[in-house]
Amino acid sequence: MSAPTIEELEVEVRYAETDQMGVVHHANYLIWFELVRTALCKRSGYHYAEIEESGFLMMVTNVEVSYHRGIHYGDSVSVSCWIEAMRSRTIKFTYRIERSGELAATGRTEHVWIDRVTRKPCRMPPLVKEPFARLAGNQS
């Protein structure tokens, strides 16, 4: 097993993402998580939209965010994501947000694979099983 692939995006905080105090509203961290997670999925060779078109969805079952320091309008942040764990029906992503090299937030999301037609849990799509395993650092 090798180290997982880490996807990283730079985000410049927009005014609309802040609250009345000029601090990024907590809900926007989840949007940034989704942006970087989608970019990581794309590294598998499949855009998330293609995975959905093939008949599978990743339903969020758990979200954790720990806020370490505030982020403000005009700040630029680095948002990182990697696959922490994969099982036959679930996948867990981990996130790290830094501002000027300092830790601002960490988080995790857990997802279950869903058949798009039946809306029931299913096994990871064969289409992405090996590519996602490589991203997770599992040599196959």
Side-chain angles (χ1 to χ4, degrees), residues 7-9 33-44 46-48 135:
E7 182 64 34
E8 186 176 332
L9 295 176
F33 287 0
E34 182 180 327
L35 285 171
V36 73
R37 181 176 68 245
T38 301
L40 180 63
C41 288
K42 190 174 180 180
R43 275 214 195 187
S44 74
Y46 299 96
H47 191 285
Y48 186 68
L135 289 175

Side-chain angles (χ1 to χ4, degrees), residues 54-132:
S54 75
F56 300 93
L57 307 169
M58 278 193 299
M59 184 174 76
V60 176
T61 58
N62 188 49
V63 174
E64 298 173 23
V65 185
S66 295
Y67 305 97
H68 301 277
R69 63 180 23 86
I71 300 172
H72 302 85
Y73 171 62
D75 286 344
S76 288
V77 294
S78 171
V79 184
S80 304
C81 174
W82 60 93
I83 296 173
E84 180 180 323
M86 285 179 25
R87 304 192 88 186
S88 65
R89 296 176 188 267
T90 61
I91 188 165
K92 184 186 292 186
F93 296 90
T94 299
Y95 309 87
R96 182 179 178 89
I97 300 176
E98 294 183 358
R99 184 194 70 211
S100 301
E102 293 184 336
L103 182 63
T106 55
R108 287 190 175 84
T109 58
E110 296 177 24
H111 308 254
V112 64
W113 288 102
I114 300 291
D115 180 288
R116 194 171 87 179
V117 174
T118 67
R119 300 287 196 216
K120 293 185 179 183
C122 63
R123 293 192 174 277
M124 178 180 286
L127 177 76
V128 296
K129 188 174 183 178
E130 290 302 319
F132 274 37

